[in-house]
Amino acid sequence: MPPTNFDTHQFAAQAHAGQVDKGGKPYIRHINRVAAAADKRAHHALKVDGLKINPEHVLQAAYLHDVVEDTKTVPDDLVRAGYAPEVIEMVRLLTKTDEPMNYAERITALIETRNLGAILIKLSDNEDNASIERQLPTKEDVTARYAASLPRLRDAAAALGYTGS
């Protein structure tokens, strides 16, 4: 039986246990906000736009979007846990690689995949990362980097038929 959404949240919470964001708050709070926003967007894409998207897969990938990049979790752990290939693929697309690329190039590479679920998760992630509540005064350049990606991600989602915000 594949993992449930609850199982996935627990997996992410365990993987990120003890991690805090730059403001000193538990990192899982960021994960939860991203997952909630991506879930809402995926349901809009399915129910309003009639797009072929599985909101459950998007939600699970959103919970897991940072586990390979920021924890000891490796992709094979997700395979062993029974995640759908679509979930693992979105996580892979959202995970920074060792390939030398600046942030704008990474966003371009993601957009070029045309994977709506991954784009909606990245949009949700960057909105949360650009939020004034999450930023420290010394991180203005990082906030600008995330903010600059938002119109590009919105345009990419719209090009795939997504009409939500």
Side-chain angles (χ1 to χ4, degrees):
M1 172 164 295
T4 65
N5 295 337
F6 178 80
D7 296 333
T8 305
H9 180 268
Q10 292 302 108
F11 187 103
Q14 271 190 319
H16 292 289
Q19 291 181 343
V20 294
D21 65 14
K22 292 171 180 73
K25 295 184 178 144
Y27 194 73
I28 193 66
R29 291 182 185 177
H30 164 70
I31 300 297
N32 289 340
R33 289 189 301 269
V34 171
D39 185 51
K40 181 178 177 185
R41 285 183 164 116
H43 277 91
H44 177 97
L46 178 68
K47 294 176 183 175
V48 176
D49 299 329
L51 299 175
K52 187 177 178 186
I53 192 167
N54 183 326
E56 184 168 313
H57 287 167
V58 173
L59 178 60
Q60 290 182 356
Y63 278 132
L64 301 170
H65 80 273
D66 278 339
V67 296
V68 173
E69 188 172 316
D70 294 341
T71 76
K72 294 179 181 181
T73 305
V74 297
D76 281 347
D77 294 333
L78 302 179
V79 172
R80 281 190 291 279
Y83 285 101
E86 296 83 0
V87 172
I88 297 168
E89 176 65 4
M90 282 185 271
V91 172
R92 184 189 68 75
L93 292 173
L94 294 164
T95 301
K96 189 186 320 181
T97 65
D98 292 335
E99 187 176 339
M101 276 190 217
N102 67 35
Y103 193 74
E105 291 169 331
R106 287 199 315 263
I107 294 298
T108 298
L110 175 62
I111 289 169
E112 288 174 351
T113 69
R114 300 183 53 83
N115 184 307
L116 180 59
I119 291 168
L120 295 178
I121 294 166
K122 192 61 173 175
L123 178 59
S124 301
D125 183 34
N126 284 4
E127 279 181 345
D128 192 64
N129 285 330
S131 168
I132 292 170
E133 293 82 32
R134 286 206 68 221
Q135 296 305 311
L136 299 175
T138 59
K139 295 294 181 186
E140 291 176 26
D141 60 327
V142 175
T143 302
R145 176 180 75 179
Y146 292 129
S149 73
L150 295 175
R152 296 181 63 210
L153 291 164
R154 285 187 186 106
D155 288 348
L160 297 172
Y162 179 70
T163 64
S165 58

